[in-house]
């Protein structure tokens, strides 16, 4: 997955494109899943809250001065 595609998906999702939002949730699902463990156990509520937070972040995120999404996220 390249930065150009991610930026295009973000821009489309910000404009209300549900398919673009769904694709971003799929792309970032491994990170969300990994961070949904509390004390070594998967926490479904945490998982859902992180997905909601990601959606909120997508709606408010700006690409000002960011050259690489992956470098920015450190993944």
């Amino acid at each position: 997955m390249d930065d150009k595609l991610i930026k295009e998906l973000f821009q489309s999702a910000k404009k209300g494109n549900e398919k673009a939002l769904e694709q971003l949730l799929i792309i970032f699902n491994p990170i969300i899943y990994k961070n949904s463990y509390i004390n070594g156990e998967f926490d479904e509520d945490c998982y859902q809250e992180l997905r909601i937070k990601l959606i909120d972040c997508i709606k408010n995120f700006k690409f000002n001065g960011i050259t690489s999404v992956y470098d920015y996220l450190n993944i």
Side-chain angles (χ1 to χ4, degrees):
M1 179 94 19
D2 65 0
D3 285 339
K4 183 178 178 184
L5 179 59
I6 296 242
K7 286 180 182 180
E8 289 172 2
L9 288 171
F10 265 88
Q11 296 302 332
S12 292
K14 286 178 74 147
K15 293 176 183 175
N17 184 325
E18 293 291 325
K19 290 196 182 281
L21 180 59
E22 183 179 320
Q23 282 296 314
L24 287 169
L25 287 170
I26 290 169
I27 291 167
F28 289 101
N29 191 62
I31 296 169
I32 294 169
Y33 189 81
K34 175 183 164 189
N35 287 289
S36 297
Y37 278 82
I38 298 175
N39 296 324
E41 292 188 25
F42 181 74
D43 186 311
E44 182 71 31
D45 290 335
C46 180
Y47 177 76
Q48 293 300 330
E49 288 294 326
L50 289 173
R51 287 175 58 90
I52 291 167
K53 187 65 174 174
L54 176 61
I55 293 168
D56 288 342
C57 288
I58 289 168
K59 291 178 181 178
N60 296 307
F61 190 80
K62 294 179 177 62
F63 278 99
N64 300 340
I66 296 171
T67 56
S68 171
V69 173
Y70 293 105
D71 290 344
Y72 180 79
L73 295 173
N74 295 317
I75 56 172

